[in-house]
Amino acid sequence: MTPVPSRERYDLAVVGGGVHGATVALFCARAGLRTILFERGSLCREASGVNAGTLTMQMTRVALIPYALQAHAMWASAPEWLGHDVGVVVCDGLSLAFTEGEAELLTYRAGKRREAGAPIDLVGPARALEIEPGLSERVLVAGHCKVDGFANAYLTGLAYRAALIEAGVTLCEQVPVAGAVPDGGGYELDTAAGTVRARRLVLAGGVWLEEMAAWLGLRLPIKVLINQLAVTERIAPVMRTVVGIASGLLSLKQYPHGTVVIGGGWQGRGDRVQGGVELVPDSLIGNMRLACHAIPALRRSRLARAWAGLEAETRDALPAAGPIPGFPDAWICGSVHSGYTSGPFIAKRLADRILERGEPDPLFPIDRLLAPEAGAAPSAPVAEAPLS
Ligand SMILES: Cc1cc2nc3c(=O)[nH]c(=O)nc-3n(C[C@H](O)[C@H](O)[C@H](O)COP(=O)(O)OP(=O)(O)OC[C@H]3O[C@@H](n4cnc5c(N)ncnc54)[C@H](O)[C@@H]3O)c2cc1C
């Protein structure tokens, strides 16, 4: 456990060392705030380190597209602002339709995302095969986006750890926080390494944001998805783009060293409170069948490994990012579907707010998400539009 200099009062305490918390801490520390970051495990070893690394607009909620485009540009230039490599590859992305129903869904979704600024065109089978020669010839139509790509998610923690240390952040890994309460113009944190005080507080707990909000008496329901992923052995090139399908149940890309990561939100089992995850073989088989349907050459490859991780989702699948109502100088950041793609930019904007820099951006305030029994006004029901 990292020793914590607990007598000091920090300018900012961040709880949760995923991509959201780590990015907020990084930018605030670089701007001169004395920043301490608590992570109960290792940095970016939960969702931010076990995800599929896909950086795509075609799976991003419409309202998040403008942020995700900026975040994509950040990932593409990670060595410049993060200072360390996360293995980002920028390439074309295709979202496929094999049936009339999928084609309709794809057309609708591509249109909505285009309106929001994502450069997505619809292309026919011949053009899709030119863009991705590895594709099945059974494709009817495809959404084509040139702003796509992927990162090597397992490098995220290594890159952020080096950047945070260089920025002077007091990085406390293996130090769980059990609570945080207001304390005379700041916050007092109950950590496994003792009590720590900070003037400002950011809660960035991913799926555990619900438990963190409860420290302040707020009920912020967070849904947990248990996403399964698999990776093949190293194989000769079979694809050069990021491939998905209209339903969202597939994401595929081949890394430069030859492995293919296969995902698409197929569900395993797990429990955020008890801990631990378990793969569901039927889900794995379904996912692999779909992958081989899209890229037939995958049938000749063997799986090397499969795993699962916990992904947070708010009621409208948009981020929880903004001030905590009723608690001055306290913010929440994270818990968004596909949050690896958009995370760095959302978190950087939150850091700008904390630092009172630039035009204030309302981001995605949590008022809409708080459960009424917490004393907050009931928010309007969200149309859970699967098409956006
Ligand atoms: C299998 C999988 C595949 C995914 N694929 C993609 C993808 O391809 N593209 C994409 O854009 N998104 C993807 N996502 C989603 C994306 O990974 C997440 O949205 C994003 O990483 C969340 O970042 P975060 O910082 O909010 O949360 P996390 O990375 O989960 O970080 C939260 C941190 O808080 C820490 N913490 C919790 N409680 C405490 C406490 N009490 N004290 C101290 N620390 C605490 C945790 O240990 C954790 O490290 C995927 C997710 C999963 C699980």
Side-chain angles (χ1 to χ4, degrees):
M1 189 185 295
T2 318
V4 180
S6 57
R7 294 223 175 119
E8 300 177 42
R9 192 186 197 243
Y10 288 85
D11 295 324
L12 170 68
V14 178
V15 190
V19 72
H20 288 101
T23 306
V24 174
L26 180 65
F27 283 103
C28 286
R30 282 182 182 163
L33 296 193
R34 278 168 35 79
T35 301
I36 188 164
L37 171 63
F38 292 98
E39 166 52 51
R40 71 173 172 192
S42 299
L43 202 68
C44 297
R45 289 317 293 163
E46 293 289 351
S48 298
V50 303
N51 65 66
T54 316
L55 307 172
T56 183
M57 301 303 126
Q58 305 210 59
M59 306 251 292
T60 296
R61 286 266 156 160
V62 172
L64 200 49
I65 292 279
Y67 297 88
L69 286 167
Q70 303 260 20
H72 189 283
M74 281 179 78
W75 279 123
S77 61
E80 286 156 39
W81 63 269
L82 187 56
H84 300 275
D85 195 15
V86 196
V88 173
V89 172
V90 174
C91 62
D92 290 12
L94 290 173
S95 180
L96 313 176
F98 291 102
T99 65
E100 292 297 339
E102 286 174 355
E104 202 179 315
L105 186 63
L106 189 69
T107 306
Y108 178 82
R109 287 183 163 183
K112 288 282 174 199
R113 284 169 174 72
R114 198 166 39 244
E115 280 168 27
I120 301 176
D121 294 322
L122 290 177
V123 297
R127 176 72 186 122
L129 271 157
E130 260 171 41
I131 297 164
E132 177 51 80
L135 273 190
S136 154
E137 292 184 351
R138 294 158 81 174
V139 170
L140 291 184
V141 61
H144 172 220
C145 186
K146 290 192 89 63
V147 183
D148 213 306
F150 52 90
N152 239 334
Y154 72 86
L155 294 178
T156 319
L158 291 175
Y160 271 96
R161 182 179 296 109
L164 290 167
I165 290 168
E166 284 156 15
V169 173
T170 303
L171 180 55
C172 304
E173 293 181 272
Q174 320 299 335
V175 183
V177 175
V181 289
D183 165 49
Y187 292 87
E188 187 180 280
L189 282 79
D190 173 11
T191 86
T195 302
V196 170
R197 290 177 181 80
R199 161 109 173 66
R200 306 171 185 81
L201 174 68
V202 171
L203 303 179
V207 293
W208 298 278
L209 210 42
E210 184 167 328
E211 282 82 354
M212 290 184 184
W215 297 340
L216 300 173
L218 300 172
R219 213 169 95 64
L220 176 61
I222 300 293
K223 184 173 155 192
V224 182
L225 307 176
I226 319 288
N227 289 345
Q228 287 192 175
L229 292 176
V231 62
T232 68
E233 61 186 339
R234 294 180 182 207
I235 54 175
V238 293
M239 61 188 297
R240 61 191 189 199
T241 60
V242 172
V243 168
I245 62 169
S247 64
L249 282 173
L250 184 66
S251 83
L252 269 180
K253 85 279 295 186
Q254 186 165 24
Y255 282 79
H257 54 267
T259 62
V260 178
V261 170
I262 305 171
W266 291 71
Q267 296 294 283
R269 291 192 200 97
D271 187 309
R272 96 176 147 204
V273 179
Q274 306 290 329
V277 288
E278 196 185 322
L279 296 175
V280 172
D282 282 350
S283 291
L284 195 58
I285 291 166
N287 196 180
M288 298 312 116
R289 283 207 175 116
L290 208 48
C292 294
H293 186 66
I295 303 286
L298 278 175
R299 290 192 191 122
R300 293 192 295 275
S301 65
R302 292 176 300 180
L303 282 193
R305 192 163 70 87
W307 69 97
L310 308 186
E311 180 175 21
E313 196 174 77
T314 61
R315 198 158 59 97
D316 55 11
L318 291 171
I324 303 181
F327 293 88
D329 295 320
W331 293 270
I332 267 177
C333 192
S335 289
V336 52
H337 187 57
S338 291
Y340 191 75
T341 300
S342 55
F345 186 68
I346 294 285
K348 181 170 182 289
R349 289 314 287 253
L350 188 73
D352 287 340
R353 272 200 81 161
I354 294 169
L355 296 163
E356 297 177 3
R357 278 182 171 171
E359 284 296 304
D361 184 336
L363 287 170
F364 295 88
I366 65 165
D367 311 51
R368 74 190 198 281
L369 303 170
L370 294 176
E373 55 268 44
S379 40
V382 175
E384 192 37 70
L387 299 179
S388 56

